[in-house]
Every structure is written in C-alpha cells, then in structure tokens.
Amino acid sequence: MKKILLTALLSCVTVGVFAQGVVQFRTFYASSTPPVNAQVHLGDMAGPLLDSGNTLWRAALIGGPTTGTAANVAANVVGNLSMMYQPTTTTLTWVNFRAAPNAGYVSVTNPPRAVPGVDWGGQAMVQMVAWQGNYDTWAAAFAAWQAGTPDVLIGASNPLTLTLPASAQSTTLTYLTGLNSFAIVPVPEPTTFALAGLGAAALLIFRRRS
C-alpha cells in the first residue's frame, strides 16, 4: 500500500513539474511580432559581443509568476525568479554564445524552457541573464559577483511579461518579444550601490507625493 501511495505521489510531482508552460530561448528570431533581436556585450553597450571563444560566457533564462521580483544588477538585486530548464528534464541548463558573425546571440539547440510556477496559458515574468565564470546557476554567479570574485561579470535583461502557449499542443509559441540587448559588468564600487539606493528612495518619495 505504501509503495502504491509513494508511486502516486511521485507521479503527481512529475506531472506538476512538466505541466509548466514554455518560452522559446531565442535571442534572434525575425518571424515573431515584433522580431526578437538582442545581443549581449562585454563591459558596456559599446563593448565587444560575447562569443563562443570563451566557454565561461554563459546565459540562461529566469522566470516565474508576474508577482515575482526581477533581477536588477545596477541596484544589486538578485530577484526571486527561478532559473528555467528544458521541459523534458528538471536539470538546470545554461548555454554558451555563438561564433562570429552571430556573436552576442545564444547558442541553443533545444530552445524551449519551462517557466517554474506558471502553467500553460498563464502570464509569466521572464528575464535573460548572462555571466562570465564557471558557475552552473544564475544564483551562484550573482553571489560570486556580489562577493567581488575576480573576473566574474554578470548582467540581466529587461524583465518581460509574456503569455505562455495555451497547451503543449498549441501551434502559437511564445518568444522573447521585447527583449533588449544588455551587457555583463564587473561589480560596482560600494558607493555606486549607495547612490542607486538613494535614487530608488527618492523615486518612491516622489511617487507617493504625486
């Protein structure tokens, strides 16, 4: 009896995991409306594009419900969105970048990524993140960057609110429409964080008075 109950429980967990809707992990896709065209730079937006020459340049998608908190590198906020995975496995997967002349774009052989906590047809908050370093997850890379680990750079895109496909059989796919290019950057000086915090506080005060 216990074995039957355990099997049933595991089956429910498996169904729950794989029931989550998916997003296509393409940073260039001309056929979507609007087209997706976002590249990742090194250092700043005038810096070189990340490419396959450095296998420690890595990228991933993070996502979750729209009530989540987005990552914000400038404000030193990791956010609470979870790293996304291929729908056929719960293994967290990062990807590398493509070679020139397609540098700056991710190299993904299996584009779909499942959004944790958001079912088919739901709305999700999604971001693309990238880093330099031998880290398997965005959270680990962010923690190393916060600690000032040498040669660790991170970056996060603008957050997107996306409607996921209605079902696994849907012919309407969800792409990263609205994704902007961004850069991976070194950890700022502490004074930069302080100024960012003051700016955010001033903005909140201004909004309340308005």
Side-chain angles (χ1 to χ4, degrees), residues 95-117:
V95 298
N96 291 122
F97 288 83
R98 302 182 69 181
N102 298 310
Y105 301 111
V106 294
S107 178
V108 184
T109 55
N110 186 13
R113 292 293 185 272
V115 185

Side-chain angles (χ1 to χ4, degrees), residues 33-113:
T33 305
V36 179
N37 188 355
Q39 294 173 293
V40 183
H41 298 257
L42 178 63
D44 56 46
M45 295 302 292
L49 296 168
L50 305 193
D51 61 39
S52 61
N54 186 341
T55 58
L56 295 184
W57 283 335
R58 300 174 175 181
L61 289 183
I62 58 175
T66 55
T67 53
T69 303
N72 187 328
V73 173
N76 192 24
V77 175
V78 66
N80 60 6
L81 302 180
S82 300
M83 196 162 148
M84 294 159 62
Y85 46 83
Q86 294 182 27
T88 54
T89 175
T90 56
T91 302
L92 299 177
T93 52
W94 48 264
V95 298
N96 291 122
F97 288 83
R98 302 182 69 181
N102 298 310
Y105 301 111
V106 294
S107 178
V108 184
T109 55
N110 186 13
R113 292 293 185 272

Side-chain angles (χ1 to χ4, degrees), residues 156-169:
S157 76
N158 56 308
L160 306 173
T161 299
L162 303 174
T163 301
L164 305 186
S167 70
Q169 290 73 41

